[in-house]
Tab-separated table of all heavy atoms in Angstrom:
chain	number	residue	atom	x	y	z
A	28	ASP	N	-2.159	23.461	-7.486
A	28	ASP	CA	-3.494	23.140	-6.982
A	28	ASP	C	-4.461	22.868	-8.124
A	28	ASP	O	-5.290	21.957	-8.035
A	28	ASP	CB	-4.034	24.273	-6.098
A	28	ASP	CG	-3.302	24.375	-4.764
A	28	ASP	OD1	-2.698	23.370	-4.344
A	28	ASP	OD2	-3.341	25.452	-4.150
A	29	GLU	N	-4.354	23.633	-9.198
A	29	GLU	CA	-5.242	23.425	-10.349
A	29	GLU	C	-4.939	22.087	-11.034
A	29	GLU	O	-5.845	21.394	-11.487
A	29	GLU	CB	-5.112	24.565	-11.372
A	29	GLU	CG	-5.666	25.891	-10.887
A	29	GLU	CD	-4.643	26.685	-10.068
A	29	GLU	OE1	-3.420	26.464	-10.210
A	29	GLU	OE2	-5.072	27.523	-9.272
A	34	GLY	N	-7.227	16.487	-11.743
A	34	GLY	CA	-7.040	15.045	-11.794
A	34	GLY	C	-5.889	14.622	-12.685
A	34	GLY	O	-5.624	13.440	-12.846
A	46	SER	N	13.121	15.370	9.086
A	46	SER	CA	12.485	16.408	9.907
A	46	SER	C	11.282	15.894	10.682
A	46	SER	O	10.935	16.434	11.725
A	46	SER	CB	12.031	17.571	9.024
A	46	SER	OG	10.954	17.146	8.187
A	49	VAL	N	5.344	17.195	7.868
A	49	VAL	CA	4.584	16.804	6.681
A	49	VAL	C	5.175	17.498	5.461
A	49	VAL	O	5.383	18.711	5.468
A	49	VAL	CB	3.088	17.157	6.849
A	49	VAL	CG1	2.327	16.867	5.560
A	49	VAL	CG2	2.488	16.389	8.005
A	51	ALA	N	5.000	17.614	1.006
A	51	ALA	CA	4.094	17.335	-0.108
A	51	ALA	C	4.847	17.438	-1.422
A	51	ALA	O	5.801	18.211	-1.553
A	51	ALA	CB	2.923	18.314	-0.097
A	80	LEU	N	9.061	8.178	1.416
A	80	LEU	CA	8.128	7.045	1.346
A	80	LEU	C	8.807	5.728	1.680
A	80	LEU	O	8.168	4.825	2.227
A	80	LEU	CB	7.475	6.969	-0.028
A	80	LEU	CG	6.483	8.076	-0.351
A	80	LEU	CD1	5.963	7.930	-1.783
A	80	LEU	CD2	5.325	8.098	0.639
A	85	ALA	N	3.421	5.403	4.907
A	85	ALA	CA	2.088	5.983	5.113
A	85	ALA	C	2.037	7.358	4.456
A	85	ALA	O	2.964	8.163	4.608
A	85	ALA	CB	1.776	6.089	6.597
A	91	GLY	N	-7.908	15.176	-8.329
A	91	GLY	CA	-9.294	15.393	-8.758
A	91	GLY	C	-10.219	15.425	-7.557
A	91	GLY	O	-9.957	16.122	-6.581
A	96	ASP	N	-6.099	8.010	2.339
A	96	ASP	CA	-4.862	7.599	2.984
A	96	ASP	C	-4.383	6.353	2.261
A	96	ASP	O	-5.187	5.529	1.814
A	96	ASP	CB	-5.085	7.303	4.463
A	96	ASP	CG	-5.397	8.566	5.253
A	96	ASP	OD1	-4.837	9.627	4.922
A	96	ASP	OD2	-6.194	8.488	6.196
A	99	ALA	N	2.481	3.337	0.507
A	99	ALA	CA	3.335	3.316	-0.689
A	99	ALA	C	4.123	2.020	-0.694
A	99	ALA	O	4.963	1.785	0.171
A	99	ALA	CB	4.272	4.521	-0.687
A	106	ASP	N	6.311	-4.443	-12.480
A	106	ASP	CA	5.392	-3.321	-12.264
A	106	ASP	C	6.084	-1.983	-12.465
A	106	ASP	O	5.467	-1.013	-12.910
A	106	ASP	CB	4.763	-3.405	-10.880
A	106	ASP	CG	3.715	-4.495	-10.766
A	106	ASP	OD1	3.161	-4.904	-11.808
A	106	ASP	OD2	3.444	-4.948	-9.639
A	110	ALA	N	4.788	0.868	-14.917
A	110	ALA	CA	4.524	2.234	-14.453
A	110	ALA	C	5.236	3.261	-15.333
A	110	ALA	O	4.628	4.259	-15.742
A	110	ALA	CB	4.960	2.393	-13.000
A	120	THR	N	7.458	12.650	-23.306
A	120	THR	CA	8.870	12.425	-22.993
A	120	THR	C	9.103	12.588	-21.501
A	120	THR	O	8.705	13.591	-20.912
A	120	THR	CB	9.749	13.431	-23.772
A	120	THR	OG1	9.424	13.317	-25.154
A	120	THR	CG2	11.219	13.156	-23.551
A	136	ILE	N	-5.788	2.703	1.888
A	136	ILE	CA	-6.093	1.973	3.111
A	136	ILE	C	-7.609	1.976	3.216
A	136	ILE	O	-8.210	3.014	3.466
A	136	ILE	CB	-5.472	2.649	4.345
A	136	ILE	CG1	-3.956	2.704	4.211
A	136	ILE	CG2	-5.884	1.915	5.610
A	136	ILE	CD1	-3.276	3.508	5.290
A	141	PRO	N	-7.809	-4.302	8.476
A	141	PRO	CA	-7.396	-4.092	9.862
A	141	PRO	C	-6.235	-3.112	9.939
A	141	PRO	O	-5.327	-3.162	9.119
A	141	PRO	CB	-6.977	-5.485	10.329
A	141	PRO	CG	-6.752	-6.265	9.100
A	141	PRO	CD	-7.587	-5.651	8.015
A	142	VAL	N	-6.312	-2.216	10.893
A	142	VAL	CA	-5.274	-1.215	11.066
A	142	VAL	C	-4.391	-1.575	12.255
A	142	VAL	O	-3.241	-1.220	12.312
A	142	VAL	CB	-5.898	0.186	11.266
A	142	VAL	CG1	-4.834	1.231	11.499
A	142	VAL	CG2	-6.749	0.553	10.068
A	145	VAL	N	-2.946	-8.034	14.785
A	145	VAL	CA	-3.893	-9.065	15.198
A	145	VAL	C	-3.811	-9.312	16.695
A	145	VAL	O	-4.817	-9.513	17.359
A	145	VAL	CB	-3.641	-10.377	14.418
A	145	VAL	CG1	-4.517	-11.497	14.921
A	145	VAL	CG2	-3.863	-10.153	12.943
A	167	ALA	N	-9.129	-47.386	27.966
A	167	ALA	CA	-8.283	-48.380	28.600
A	167	ALA	C	-6.995	-48.518	27.789
A	167	ALA	O	-7.016	-48.350	26.566
A	167	ALA	CB	-9.019	-49.718	28.666
Side-chain angles (χ1 to χ4, degrees):
D28 290 338
E29 291 85 23
S46 68
V49 175
L80 290 177
D96 291 325
D106 286 338
T120 306
I136 299 173
V142 178
V145 174

